Amino acid sequence: MKNWILTICCLLLTMSSYANHLKGGWIQYNHIGPGSAPNTSRYEIIVRQYLDCSSSGGQIDPDVFLGIFNSDNNSLYVNLTVPVSGTDILSKGTFDPCITPVPNVCYRIDIYRTTVDLPNNTNGYDLTVQRCCRINGIMNLSPPSNQVGVTYTSRIPGVRNGVRVSNNSSPVFAQRDTAVVCFNAPFTFDFSAVDADGDSLSYSFCTGLTGGNTGAGGARPQPVAPPYTPLFYSNSFDASTPMGSRVQIDSKTGIIQGFAPELPGDYVVAVCALEFRNGELIGSIKKEIHITVANCQLSAAELNPEYISCDGFTLDFENRSSSAGINSYFWDFGVPSILTDTSSRPRPTYTFPDTGTFTMKLRVTNAGGCKDSTTATVRIYPGFEPAFDIIGSCILNPYEFRDRTFVRYGTVNSWRWEFGEPTLTNDTARIANPTFSYPTLGNKTIRLRVTSTKGCDKEITRVLQVLDKPQLDLPFRDTLICSIDTLELRVNARGIIQWSPNNRLIDARTANPRVYPTDTTVYYVRVEENGCINTDSVKVNVLPFITVRLGLDTSICSTDSIQLRPESEALQFLWTPSIGLSNPNTKNPLAAPLTSTGYRVTANLGKCQDSDSIFIRVTPYPQVTVSGDRTICFGEQTTLQASIVASSFQWRPNNAMLNAQTLNPSVAPSRTTAYILEVSDTLGCPKSVTDTVIVTVRPPVNAFAGRDTAVVRNQPLQLQASGGVAYRWSPTLGLNNSLIADPIATLNTSQDSIRYFVTVSDEAGCTGTDDIWVRIFQTEPDLFVPTGFTPNGDGRNDILRAIPVGISRFDHFRIYNRVGQLIFQTTDPSRGWDGTIGGQPQPAGTYVFTAQGEDYRGRSIFRKGTTVLIR
C-alpha cells in the first residue's frame, strides 16, 4: 500500500514537474523522393518540442510517439517511436535599454527526426504527437489549464483536382521566438515560414488543441485518431484573438503585432500556415507555443504615423506608450521659423498658426535616463465638409446622387458611396455623381466617404425613403369653411402639380391653390415627377353658418379647475375675460377662477360667427380640524376634539368609540389607531375633506409579583416584582419598603396567609397590577409531606409533593417502593410524583419518602415517613 501511494505521488510530481516546462511545438515534413516500394513516397518528419530552458532530467523526453493517420477515414496507418536527435537553445542576449526590468526569454527546442515510406493515397495523411500536460494558470485558458494536454498536427496532402501533390514539403517556421513581450506594451512576434516548393502561404490564428489526458501522469501517451478537441479559452480570449483584440496577425507575412495583454503570464498562441499552389489549397501546418508576457515596461516614445485636422487648427496629442517610467517629455510641433512651438506636458494641446504639413517630434526620458524619440506627420487643412444631394422620386426611376463636398484646401480625390440596399452586395460607387436604382422599398442609409489631396477623410450619412410613387404631403385632408370664405390648399411635393375639379378653384397648377366652394367638395391633387405619379385628396366641408353652446351654469370648489367644452363646429375661439383661463384662444381651456365669474366665448369659422356665455360659481371647501395626536396607556380612553364648517360628518373607524355621532367622541383603542373625520357640504362645494388624529396606545405593562409561596412566622421573605420602572406594594404590613421592586417581608402575625398587591409603572406612567399569596405557618421551619394522594386525574390531590416551609435550600425529595427501590426523586419543590414509573401506573399501597433541606436560619432539616397511594 505504501509503495502504491509512493508511486502515485511520484507520477503526480513528475507530471507537475514536466508541465511547468512544456512550451508547445510543431511538426515539419520534407518529401525526399519515391519510397522503396512501388507507388510510395519517402518523407523526413521532424518534430520540434519547446520547453523552458531550465528543463532537465525527467522533464526532457528521450523520444516521442508519432501517429500517422489516413486522412480519408482517420484510421491509424502506423505509430512510430521517434528518438531525440538534437537540441536548439533560443536565448535572447541583447535588450533595448528602455526595457525594465530585463526579462528572461529562452526556449529549449528538442528535435525528433525519422523517415517513413507512405503509400500514395487520395486524401493524404495527418501527423500527430500528443503530450500531457500544460502548465497551470495559463492566462487565456479556462482554469484549470493543467488538466489538458497538447496536440501537434500537420497534414501531408494527397490528390487535389486530379493532380497528385504528395511530393510536397511543408513550410518551415522561422525560429524567431525570442521577441520581448512586455505587458500592455507594443510588440512584434515573427511567426513567418518559408516554403521550399515556392507555394504561397496565408497565416491566421487558429485554435490550440487538447491531447494527452492528466491520467497519463506526465508520460508520453500514444496519440489518438482525429478529430481533436479544441481548447476552452477564457474571458475575452478565443482562438482568433488569443492575446486579446489589440493583437492581430498579418495574413501575408505571419507577423504578429499589437499591444500585449495587461496581465503578465503565459498565453497559448496557435498559428496555421495554409499552402496554396496555383490558387488551390493543398495543405496546412500549425505551430503552437506559449508566449510569455513579461512583467516589464518599455519606456518609449510612440505616436500615430499621421495626424490630420480638417476642422480647425488645434489638436490634442499624447504619447501612446503605456510605460509608467517616463518622467520627462519634449514636444516639437515642427512649425518652421518658430521657436515657441514646443511643450513639456505629457498631453499637450497645440494650435498651429497656419495650414500646412508639419513634422512633429517627441522625445521622452525615463527615470533611469533611458531616452527615446519618434516623429509623426501633422496635416492642418481645415474647411472640409462632406455633403451631397439626392434627386429622384420613386422605385421606378434611378436616383441621382450629387457630391456637394466643400473643400477649402486641395481637392476631393476619392469617393466611396454605399447606397444602403441590403439585398445587393454591389450597391456601391466610386465616382463623384453616381446613379442607382433601388429594387426594394423602405428607408435606405446612404453613406458617402470622401478624401482630399491634403489627407482629409470624412464620412456622412443620410436616410432616404424609397417610395413606390413621388412624395406627396398634405397638411390636412379634411377641413371646414364657411360658405362666404376662401381657403388656401397646400401640398408639399416636387414635379408637375394639378388640382381638380376646376370649379371655384384658383391656380390649379400650383402647390397653394385657393378654393371658395358653396357646397361640400372633394379636391384631388395629382403629382408627376420623372414619370412617377401620386395622387391624394382634400375634403372641404362647407357650412352656411355656425352656432356655439356652452350649456348650463355650474359650480366648482375654490382652487379647483374645470374644462370648458363648447359645442360648436367653429375653428377659432376667443374667451373673455381671460382671467383664470389656461388659454383664452383655444376651444377647451381650463378655467380656475378664484371668485365666481361669468365667461363669454366668441366662435368663428372664417367670417361666420356666434357667441354664448356661462357662469361659474366658486364655493369654498368644507373645513375640518381635529385636535392633535396623543398617546394613552393600554386600557385607558381619551376624548377626541373636532370642529367643522360643513353640513355632515363621519368618524372612521368607529369601533371602540363612544358618542360617534358627536364631534367629541371617547375612544379606548387596544392598539394604535388613526381616526379620520370626513366632512361634506350639500350647500356649497360637493367634495369631502378629511383630517386625522393618531391615538398611540402604549403596550400593556406586564406586572409580575412573583409566584405564590409559604413562610413561617418571623421568616424574612424576599419579594421580587418586575415589568416596569416604578413599584408600589400594598398592604404595607411587614414590608421594609413598599416603593421598591424587591422589599423584604417579615410576618409576625397570627394570620394564616396574606395577599400582597403590586402596582407597576412604566416610563410613561402606565400601570399594571399583579399579586402574590403568602401562606404563614405558625410552626418552625419544616418539610411537610401529605400522608396520601389519589392520582386519578380529577385535578385534586393527583401529585405528591414535599411542601417546604421556612426552607431556604431544598436538597431533595425521594420516593421508595416497599422493596426499597428508588422510584422518584427531585430537587425542585414544585415537582412531585404522579404515581407512575416510566408512564406505568404503580399499585396502591404504602410508599416511603425522604425529604431534606436547610431552613432560613441555616439549620438542616431531614424528614422520613410513609405515604399511601390510593386508587
Side-chain angles (χ1 to χ4, degrees):
M1 181 66 177
K2 292 182 178 179
N3 290 335
W4 180 80
I5 295 175
L6 181 60
T7 302
I8 294 297
C9 293
C10 289
L11 286 174
L12 293 175
L13 180 61
T14 302
M15 179 179 68
S16 175
S17 176
Y18 180 84
N20 283 323
H21 294 76
L22 185 63
K23 290 286 188 177
W26 59 287
I27 303 175
Q28 171 194 349
Y29 64 87
N30 297 320
H31 178 255
I32 299 175
S36 58
N39 199 30
T40 63
S41 296
R42 177 166 295 178
Y43 294 92
E44 178 189 31
I45 299 175
I46 305 171
V47 179
R48 291 177 174 85
Q49 183 162 268
Y50 283 59
L51 298 97
D52 189 273
C53 285
S54 62
S55 303
S56 62
Q59 297 162 349
I60 301 172
D61 291 337
D63 48 46
V64 295
F65 294 136
L66 171 67
I68 303 178
F69 299 89
N70 292 291
S71 297
D72 54 352
N73 58 13
N74 295 332
S75 62
L76 178 67
Y77 173 72
V78 68
N79 198 346
L80 302 175
T81 301
V82 184
V84 65
S85 61
T87 297
D88 288 338
I89 302 296
L90 298 183
S91 179
K92 187 171 183 64
T94 60
F95 294 88
D96 189 317
C98 293
I99 295 177
T100 56
V102 174
N104 179 27
V105 182
C106 185
Y107 289 98
R108 173 193 175 101
I109 306 176
D110 289 333
I111 303 171
Y112 306 83
R113 297 178 183 267
T114 188
T115 58
V116 61
D117 289 355
L118 299 176
N120 298 328
N121 63 8
T122 301
N123 294 299
Y125 298 90
D126 287 312
L127 310 178
T128 300
V129 172
Q130 292 186 312
R131 188 63 171 87
C132 172
C133 301
R134 299 178 185 270
I135 67 171
N136 198 7
I138 296 177
M139 304 303 293
N140 59 349
L141 297 187
S142 296
S145 56
N146 65 342
Q147 299 299 307
V148 296
V150 62
T151 297
Y152 319 134
T153 62
S154 186
R155 173 166 290 184
I156 298 176
V159 174
R160 294 291 185 271
N161 293 332
V163 178
R164 178 165 301 284
V165 290
S166 57
N167 61 346
N168 181 66
S169 294
S170 71
V172 179
F173 284 104
Q175 294 185 169
R176 303 187 182 98
D177 304 312
T178 57
V180 176
V181 183
C182 295
F183 76 95
N184 201 31
F187 76 98
T188 299
F189 204 101
D190 190 348
F191 251 90
S192 63
V194 177
D195 191 87
D197 304 315
D199 298 326
S200 61
L201 302 179
S202 177
Y203 303 90
S204 64
F205 288 128
C206 51
T207 184
L209 302 174
T210 66
N213 58 52
T214 56
R220 301 178 298 284
Q222 298 280 355
V224 299
Y228 303 111
T229 303
L231 292 174
F232 292 99
Y233 294 87
S234 65
N235 300 327
S236 59
F237 303 103
D238 55 34
S240 61
T241 57
M243 298 183 74
S245 59
R246 300 191 300 170
V247 177
Q248 294 84 33
I249 186 170
D250 190 311
S251 61
K252 296 181 179 180
T253 65
I255 302 298
I256 298 175
Q257 286 184 316
F259 275 80
E262 296 180 355
L263 296 178
D266 276 20
Y267 291 77
V268 173
V269 177
V271 173
C272 290
L274 305 183
E275 292 182 85
F276 291 87
R277 183 173 297 175
N278 299 322
E280 177 73 16
L281 177 64
I282 65 170
S284 65
I285 188 171
K286 179 194 294 185
K287 176 181 177 181
E288 177 185 325
I289 64 172
H290 294 182
I291 295 179
T292 300
V293 176
N295 187 16
C296 57
Q297 292 182 332
L298 179 63
S299 299
E302 182 180 358
L303 298 173
N304 293 330
E306 188 174 59
Y307 296 84
I308 301 175
S309 176
C310 298
D311 299 313
F313 293 89
T314 301
L315 282 175
D316 298 324
F317 301 98
E318 68 173 331
N319 184 16
R320 296 185 61 195
S321 173
S322 60
S323 173
I326 299 175
N327 62 2
S328 70
Y329 298 80
F330 179 78
W331 300 82
D332 186 338
F333 300 109
V335 180
S337 305
I338 295 180
L339 300 179
T340 59
D341 62 331
T342 61
S343 176
S344 59
R345 294 177 177 272
R347 297 178 179 84
T349 298
Y350 185 71
T351 300
F352 288 83
D354 200 354
T355 60
T357 300
F358 307 92
T359 300
M360 178 179 66
K361 183 175 182 180
L362 168 64
R363 184 172 68 247
V364 298
T365 305
N366 71 3
C370 176
K371 296 181 179 181
D372 192 18
S373 63
T374 187
T375 60
T377 300
V378 182
R379 299 178 182 271
I380 305 296
Y381 295 102
F384 183 72
E385 295 297 333
F388 62 88
D389 294 334
I390 304 174
I391 302 174
S393 59
C394 65
I395 195 173
L396 299 177
N397 297 313
Y399 283 82
E400 297 180 7
F401 298 88
R402 297 289 180 262
D403 176 38
R404 295 290 183 262
T405 300
F406 172 77
V407 184
R408 178 169 294 173
Y409 302 99
T411 59
V412 176
N413 61 355
S414 74
W415 301 263
R416 176 172 176 80
W417 296 85
E418 295 180 12
F419 301 116
E421 176 53 55
T423 64
L424 298 176
T425 58
N426 60 344
D427 62 333
T428 61
R430 291 186 177 274
I431 60 177
N433 303 306
T435 60
F436 184 77
S437 297
Y438 286 95
T440 62
L441 302 174
N443 290 336
K444 316 294 181 180
T445 300
I446 316 300
R447 299 180 184 275
L448 171 61
R449 184 171 185 174
V450 290
T451 62
S452 75
T453 54
K454 295 300 184 181
C456 294
D457 186 338
K458 284 188 178 182
E459 180 181 278
I460 60 169
T461 62
R462 281 179 56 184
V463 176
L464 167 67
Q465 186 180 24
V466 177
L467 305 172
D468 59 349
K469 47 196 169 186
Q471 183 174 351
L472 187 160
D473 296 322
L474 292 171
F476 53 85
R477 289 184 172 83
D478 198 333
T479 190
L480 186 66
I481 67 170
C482 192
S483 58
I484 60 176
D485 288 334
T486 298
L487 173 69
E488 182 181 84
L489 304 179
R490 295 189 298 275
V491 64
N492 181 22
R494 293 186 301 185
I496 301 173
I497 300 173
Q498 177 67 55
W499 292 86
S500 63
N502 204 24
N503 61 307
R504 306 187 74 82
L505 185 146
I506 304 172
D507 298 332
R509 291 182 176 273
T510 68
N512 306 103
R514 291 171 293 161
V515 297
Y516 50 99
T518 57
D519 296 309
T520 297
T521 304
V522 177
Y523 290 94
Y524 297 91
V525 60
R526 180 181 186 271
V527 177
E528 179 180 354
E529 183 182 15
N530 298 328
C532 299
I533 298 173
N534 195 4
T535 62
D536 208 339
S537 64
V538 176
K539 183 178 182 181
V540 180
N541 300 279
V542 180
L543 295 178
F545 61 89
I546 63 164
T547 61
V548 60
R549 296 292 179 266
L550 285 174
L552 300 176
D553 296 340
T554 187
S555 298
I556 64 171
C557 299
S558 179
T559 71
D560 283 0
S561 63
I562 184 173
Q563 189 165 40
L564 303 178
R565 298 181 182 275
E567 295 181 3
S568 178
E569 293 180 315
L571 298 180
Q572 295 88 33
F573 298 86
L574 177 64
W575 294 84
T576 56
S578 62
I579 185 171
L581 296 181
S582 61
N583 187 344
N585 301 112
T586 187
K587 182 177 181 180
N588 303 116
L590 282 174
L594 299 179
T595 61
S596 298
T597 304
Y599 291 101
R600 173 169 290 277
V601 63
T602 300
N604 283 78
L605 179 61
K607 298 175 183 177
C608 296
Q609 187 179 89
D610 194 19
S611 63
D612 197 8
S613 62
I614 188 173
F615 184 78
I616 300 176
R617 186 174 68 253
V618 179
T619 59
Y621 271 93
Q623 300 177 27
V624 58
T625 302
V626 181
S627 57
D629 300 340
R630 74 281 310 275
T631 299
I632 64 173
C633 298
F634 181 84
E636 290 183 352
Q637 71 175 27
T638 185
T639 300
L640 307 181
Q641 303 288 335
S643 62
I644 66 172
V645 178
S647 61
S648 62
F649 66 89
Q650 181 183 7
W651 291 95
R652 63 176 190 271
N654 56 16
N655 56 303
M657 178 179 286
L658 297 176
N659 303 321
Q661 295 75 29
T662 71
L663 294 176
N664 307 109
S666 297
V667 296
S670 59
R671 62 178 180 271
T672 298
T673 304
Y675 290 98
I676 302 171
L677 180 60
E678 182 177 9
V679 300
S680 58
D681 194 348
T682 59
L683 302 177
C685 177
K687 295 184 178 180
S688 62
V689 179
T690 63
D691 196 11
T692 302
V693 59
I694 298 177
V695 178
T696 301
V697 180
R698 291 187 59 83
V701 176
N702 295 318
F704 181 64
R707 299 184 182 276
D708 295 343
T709 187
V711 297
V712 296
R713 193 171 62 174
N714 295 322
Q715 176 189 348
L717 173 63
Q718 177 70 68
L719 300 177
Q720 183 66 59
S722 62
V725 297
Y727 303 85
R728 184 175 67 254
W729 293 85
S730 66
T732 60
L733 179 64
L735 299 182
N736 66 334
N737 190 339
S738 63
L739 300 179
I740 61 175
D742 53 350
I744 296 175
T746 305
L747 299 170
N748 183 9
T749 178
S750 60
Q751 295 176 237
D752 61 358
S753 65
I754 187 171
R755 187 178 299 274
Y756 285 108
F757 296 88
V758 63
T759 300
V760 181
S761 303
D762 65 8
E763 297 87 345
C766 298
T767 62
T769 303
D770 195 22
D771 63 81
I772 181 174
W773 184 57
V774 183
R775 294 179 60 191
I776 306 170
F777 288 81
Q778 302 297 324
T779 66
E780 292 295 317
D782 207 343
L783 291 166
F784 297 100
V785 179
T787 58
F789 70 111
T790 57
N792 55 7
D794 63 356
R796 295 180 298 175
N797 202 27
D798 288 330
I799 304 296
L800 180 66
R801 295 185 179 89
I803 302 172
V805 177
I807 301 300
S808 61
R809 189 189 73 225
F810 185 81
D811 294 334
H812 74 258
F813 175 53
R814 296 171 181 164
I815 305 293
Y816 300 87
N817 61 16
R818 66 186 62 187
V819 297
Q821 180 186 5
L822 177 65
I823 59 176
F824 174 81
Q825 66 174 340
T826 182
T827 58
D828 184 356
S830 66
R831 293 184 60 221
W833 184 44
D834 62 356
T836 66
I837 299 178
Q840 297 297 320
Q842 296 303 297
T846 301
Y847 292 83
V848 177
F849 70 82
T850 64
Q852 182 174 310
E854 183 180 282
D855 68 9
Y856 71 92
R857 294 171 294 190
R859 295 184 302 176
S860 178
I861 296 178
F862 177 79
R863 294 291 180 264
K864 180 176 181 181
T866 60
T867 185
V868 178
L869 189 156
I870 304 173
R871 291 197 183 275

